Amino acid sequence: MAPSTRDVRKARASDDLIMATNNSSIVSKRSVEHLYYPDEPHYFRFFVKKFRRRAPLVNRGYHLRLKVIDTLVRRFLQKPSTRNKVVVNLGCGSDVLPWQCQVRYPESCQDVTFLDVDYPDLIQKKRQIVLETPELQDLMGTWEVNDDSPIVLRSLKYCQVACNLQQLSVLQRCLDTLFDMPNTEFLFVAEVSITYMDTKGANGVIEWAATVGNAEFCLLEQILPDGPDHPFAHTMLGHFNKMNAPLKSVHRYPTVASQEKRFQSLGWPSAESWTLWEAWSDNLFMTAAERRALDSVESFDELEEFALFASHYFVILATTPKSEVRGHVSKVHEEDDIPSFQCPMTMSAYESAQGHRRLGAAMLVGEPNSGGFISHSFGQGPVGRMNSEDLYQISSQPVAPIPSVNMPSARVCHSLTDLGTAGVLLAGGRASPSTAFGDCWLFNRHLSAWERTKDLPVPLFRHSVTRLGSSTLALLAGGRINHFETSAEYFLFDPAEGWKKCHIQSAPPSLYSATFVCVGEVGSQAFTGFLSGGSLEDSIINQEFYTWRLDTSEPEPVLSFQQRTPKDGGLPGALARLGSFAFQSLDCTLLLGGVIKGVQLPSVYDIIVLKTTETDVSVVARLDGIDSSGVMRPFLMGSSIVHYGHGGFAIVGGGATCYAMGTFWTPGSYSFRFDPSLLPQHSTGQTATRPEPIQYKQTIEFSGSEKRLVE
């Protein structure tokens, strides 16, 4: 039965919305082409009338997408074969893959035909641009145009087929017409295209492609590695729903493993797979030198958010017939059977845009039980860097703004370290990634005022600072000097003397945003701790684990490192993290948040409890915050955490830019109380008490020497 007029109109409207996704994509690809490929001919410019520079995070993401597709296409082109080769771009949009390959790999393209396939309306527009542009015509040599056939443009090197991918019989006839099928091998490329089709139709495309003979299928699209409720996934799904172009297959195939099974069930016996976050660190796609070179193109300091994006996209390369060589398979984040420590947690929801602050820092002002409150200052807000503080109430006492008018300037990625009676140390930070700050301040709790102290020896941001035991000393590790240099230095801070450079023995590589924590004191002049994770200079997460010992008895402090291999041969509990928080609580270390290498860190392991010795670290529990409705999973990226009172923890602010899909803001402030004596292995049958909520009260804006309440 023929479809009704209503069904035809509905299908046409859906097709139009899918085609509209091409417009945004090619503007972003044009931005990447312009910035990152200055020495190549630019072909996207013929399809984008006006250049628009995208944000660095979007540029970096599209650069990776383009690089991954280019690498796998190049590998197909350079693979030895006696057959002719055809690269079929399914849902090609305005992609310029044929022209880029001809420029980059001319020798490998000599006996290759590129075939673009997409909706008739889109292909007609693309054909017109190709025929009107001499630089695009050069690829084709002699060509034929035909308006009476789906093969609307035909040449030896390049062809266009106007065909809805639901019409596979039409596409099959076109291939039979154009190519000697038994003597041809195909690479089908679907870069975020068939994901907009209904699952039955998309599966039909994959299954059909497996029947054409010798073939490979390269699919790049979205996944939901930690489920649809993860903040990035939720924002991503909402973005495409808002565009009326929902992702149709991602709920049925939410993980790389499920996608691999999908291809196997549809006739593809062999497959390689990567998340884009894995591809980022795989030398097949990009070397360390290439990754570092990107930082010279534009300032970039959003590696955690880049990891979020890249963990939610994957690429699979399937082959038929079966390959004799087992290729790369995306890893699954596996953990030992870590016991759950259920800890009562409270959440106080923000109203409207309250608490929307990320990459700031927070501190305890006063005493928790006698009018103490939390100040969450500076950082990034909805419209830029914030020169203000949010005040949070801990007890029933009213909060009071800090009266000091001598204030640090607005900044992000700085550190606040509680040094007990010496006050709270603010160190470094940045304006833009190319403008680091070196000024340091101490907050005097007795005077409730900020006081300028000795500057850092070198301006830094994204450094790591730990208080040394119960002393008033602090030790600073690494950090970024600017958007392309990372510090290898370690500095000791004494409130009375300022900063001293440490003499390093067996130094780790230069790192920023590492986990760096003091776990023990040896007398009054020596301290021990561990270092893990952090980013290397080529934007890969460090996988090595180090213990350290600091001796302060000499005029020049001596900091000795020793690389360790945990007993299980790896870093347990995903200890190798970028941008995590670490707190020493009695004889345990609490590790919160951060991102890991290659894959999305499952939120179930966002907060883990560690036991450390001088030579090793072990994970003893994962902390699950609970309330009456079940388990709570605070979104920790961009947040600030304060340890107060006897085992009290407050989580304030937080959020992330979710690529080009919107910004997620943490919906409220959280509090929990951690008591190591109640861990499963020490269980006495007692349960932790529910903490009082940490409630947002007001925002105070700093303007010159004045402060004012934001209504």
Side-chain angles (χ1 to χ4, degrees), residues 577-597:
R577 302 186 183 195
L578 168 76
S580 63
F581 301 89
F583 295 91
Q584 194 67 9
S585 183
L586 298 179
D587 61 342
C588 290
T589 302
L590 214 56
L591 187 63
L592 306 94
V595 298
I596 61 175
K597 184 179 180 182

Side-chain angles (χ1 to χ4, degrees), residues 34-106:
H34 177 79
L35 295 171
Y36 286 83
Y37 296 95
D39 300 325
E40 285 189 6
H42 290 177
Y43 295 109
F44 279 112
R45 64 190 175 101
F46 301 118
F47 298 91
V48 179
K49 292 182 179 180
K50 184 177 180 181
F51 170 77
R52 280 187 288 171
R53 181 168 183 157
R54 295 299 203 197
L57 177 60
V58 177
N59 285 333
R60 189 66 61 101
Y62 267 98
H63 176 273
L64 179 57
R65 270 178 57 169
L66 289 167
K67 187 72 171 175
V68 166
I69 295 295
D70 175 78
T71 300
L72 296 179
V73 172
R74 182 193 71 212
R75 198 166 71 164
F76 172 76
L77 296 175
Q78 295 177 347
K79 181 177 66 174
S81 177
T82 58
R83 300 182 181 90
N84 295 321
K85 293 179 180 177
V86 176
V87 178
V88 183
N89 197 342
L90 300 169
C92 62
S94 299
D95 266 356
V96 295
L97 185 65
W99 294 275
Q100 290 174 331
C101 287
Q102 287 287 342
V103 167
R104 294 169 182 168
Y105 321 114

Side-chain angles (χ1 to χ4, degrees), residues 78-135:
Q78 295 177 347
K79 181 177 66 174
S81 177
T82 58
R83 300 182 181 90
N84 295 321
K85 293 179 180 177
V86 176
V87 178
V88 183
N89 197 342
L90 300 169
C92 62
S94 299
D95 266 356
V96 295
L97 185 65
W99 294 275
Q100 290 174 331
C101 287
Q102 287 287 342
V103 167
R104 294 169 182 168
Y105 321 114
E107 293 184 2
S108 300
C109 291
Q110 289 181 2
D111 297 314
V112 177
T113 301
F114 291 86
L115 175 63
D116 278 349
V117 182
D118 215 322
Y119 290 106
D121 286 356
L122 206 156
I123 281 292
Q124 291 287 350
K125 293 176 182 177
K126 188 169 189 176
R127 183 182 70 172
Q128 181 178 351
I129 292 172
V130 170
L131 295 179
E132 292 176 352
T133 308
E135 292 90 338

Side-chain angles (χ1 to χ4, degrees), residues 685-697:
Q686 294 178 293
T687 57
T689 57
R690 183 167 300 281
E692 292 295 318
I694 302 295
Q695 294 182 315
Y696 168 91
K697 285 301 177 182

Side-chain angles (χ1 to χ4, degrees), residues 18 21 65 192-199 202 220-224 232-253 259 312-313 661:
I18 292 171
T21 63
R65 270 178 57 169
V192 193
S193 57
I194 66 172
T195 187
Y196 301 116
M197 300 173 67
D198 63 83
T199 303
L220 189 155
E221 60 186 38
Q222 299 87 346
I223 51 173
L224 307 174
F232 184 96
H234 179 78
T235 304
M236 176 177 73
L237 294 171
H239 166 77
F240 287 105
N241 289 340
K242 187 176 180 180
M243 293 175 64
N244 291 314
L247 307 178
K248 298 289 183 66
S249 299
V250 73
H251 293 284
R252 184 168 173 184
Y253 306 108
Q259 287 279 5
H312 282 79
Y313 280 73
M661 305 166 196

Side-chain angles (χ1 to χ4, degrees), residues 345-615:
M345 182 178 284
T346 62
M347 194 269 265
S348 180
Y350 294 133
E351 296 181 7
S352 185
Q354 292 175 351
H356 286 187
R357 185 185 301 267
R358 57 194 179 94
L359 303 178
M363 65 179 180
L364 176 67
V365 180
E367 294 299 324
N369 299 320
S370 58
F373 60 93
I374 288 172
S375 166
H376 188 204
S377 57
F378 307 123
Q380 187 88 9
V383 293
R385 289 191 304 278
M386 304 179 77
N387 197 21
S388 62
E389 65 178 346
D390 294 333
L391 302 183
Y392 291 82
Q393 186 179 48
I394 298 176
S395 64
S396 58
Q397 299 291 327
V399 301
I402 299 171
S404 171
V405 293
N406 186 26
M407 296 288 299
S409 59
R411 64 194 65 207
V412 298
C413 302
H414 53 294
S415 62
L416 282 180
T417 309
D418 193 326
L419 300 182
T421 57
V424 181
L425 171 67
L426 183 153
R430 66 168 175 84
S432 70
S434 58
T435 308
F437 295 149
D439 58 321
C440 297
W441 301 71
L442 275 171
F443 180 73
N444 187 318
R445 285 197 173 97
H446 300 293
L447 301 176
S448 195
W450 285 102
E451 299 172 340
R452 186 74 179 262
T453 187
K454 298 290 181 63
D455 286 359
L456 286 164
V458 59
L460 291 170
F461 61 96
R462 287 192 178 272
H463 45 278
S464 305
V465 185
T466 183
R467 180 184 179 183
L468 297 178
S470 58
S471 75
T472 57
L473 305 176
L475 185 61
L476 181 149
R480 305 194 82 178
I481 300 170
N482 49 47
H483 64 281
F484 56 88
E485 289 182 279
T486 302
S487 171
E489 305 295 349
Y490 293 77
F491 300 105
L492 176 67
F493 178 78
D494 184 327
E497 300 179 19
W499 298 93
K500 292 182 180 179
K501 182 178 176 180
C502 296
H503 174 71
I504 310 299
Q505 295 179 347
S506 303
S510 302
L511 296 168
Y512 68 86
S513 294
T515 301
F516 186 66
V517 61
C518 175
V519 299
E521 298 181 62
V522 184
S524 61
Q525 294 184 311
F527 305 89
T528 60
F530 71 86
L531 178 149
S532 66
S535 176
L536 299 164
E537 288 191 293
D538 65 341
S539 298
I540 298 299
I541 297 178
N542 162 52
Q543 298 298 294
E544 303 301 335
F545 172 73
Y546 303 85
T547 57
W548 55 262
R549 179 186 174 95
L550 175 70
D551 185 348
T552 64
S553 61
E554 300 296 328
E556 182 181 39
V558 177
L559 181 60
S560 304
F561 286 92
Q562 189 161 354
Q563 187 173 331
R564 304 288 186 179
T565 301
K567 294 173 183 176
D568 66 354
L571 287 183
L575 191 57
R577 302 186 183 195
L578 168 76
S580 63
F581 301 89
F583 295 91
Q584 194 67 9
S585 183
L586 298 179
D587 61 342
C588 290
T589 302
L590 214 56
L591 187 63
L592 306 94
V595 298
I596 61 175
K597 184 179 180 182
V599 295
Q600 174 70 37
L601 175 67
S603 55
V604 69
Y605 299 113
D606 265 348
I607 307 177
I608 56 177
V609 183
L610 310 175
K611 282 278 193 176
T612 58
T613 68
E614 288 191 8
T615 60

